Amino acid sequence: MRLVRAERGADPAVLTLTLDRPDRHNAVSAALVEELLAGVQQAYREPTDLLVLRGAGPTFSAGFDLSGLDTAGDGELLHRFVRIEQLLHAVHHAPFATLALAHGRVFGAGADLVCACTHRVADPDARFRLPGMAFGIVLGTGRLAGRVGPDRARRIQADGETVDAPEALASGLVTAVHPRDGWDDLVAAHAARERALPRAARAVLQDVLHDDRADRDLAALARSAAEPGLARRIHDYASGRHR
């Protein structure tokens, strides 16, 4: 069963990847990450003006899939976080524009995925939360700081606060707030705007605008996860025993 729907519609230069685990609130499992990464890599290989990320069901993504923690070890969990970071890097540094359409709960790795995109649109009901610091993981922090500033990023991650759509817009976490019933028109408008730019020039622009933090972000993630007891910390967080 596929966990990500990849679709090119009437405009073949627009690829939409839809997280399709609504029964699990689109929790980011290892398999879902691999399918998303494969979809992004497909967009790299094919003529693409715009990559759209959406979530099926009532929420964009509830974040890191916490199921199966009783049998997961530190090494397995670290590998999962590394693959998420590689996905985020592929999205953030894509040679084409990326558009996240976020609604409902947008938590953890799901919020990191939105943050990695060029254009970040929230439905008015969207709520964002990045609790990774609660179990000692530094994931996507550099990109978040680039969007909202280091002081705001510190508060969002250290305090684990939930940010609503208006506050997300005011801080720069999202670039627009737009109701879901108008998203199809919004996608078409973004695609038309991107199509007006030569693809080669747009790829150079994307590269210039985005500082390549791949090595630093992976190193920060590895250092934060190197403290023994990663599986226990995540299990404690999932059980509500985090402080």
Side-chain angles (χ1 to χ4, degrees), residues 130-152:
L130 293 108
M133 288 303 295
F135 43 86
I137 287 292
V138 176
L139 176 69
T141 304
R143 279 180 293 272
L144 178 63
R147 303 300 191 200
V148 306
D151 292 338
R152 188 76 182 96

Side-chain angles (χ1 to χ4, degrees), residues 104-107 125-131 152 155-157 159-165 167-168 173 237:
R105 284 188 292 172
V106 191
F107 290 0
D125 78 345
R127 292 171 294 127
F128 298 83
R129 189 164 182 259
L130 293 108
R152 188 76 182 96
R155 291 196 300 274
I156 289 173
Q157 291 206 320
D159 297 344
E161 65 180 277
T162 299
V163 179
D164 63 17
E167 187 176 356
L173 180 57
Y237 171 82

Side-chain angles (χ1 to χ4, degrees), residues 45-71:
R45 293 190 298 268
E46 299 174 353
T48 301
D49 292 328
L50 181 66
L51 173 68
V52 182
L53 299 177
R54 309 181 68 145
T59 191
F60 178 80
S61 174
F64 191 79
D65 189 351
L66 296 171
S67 62
L69 288 179
D70 291 340
T71 59

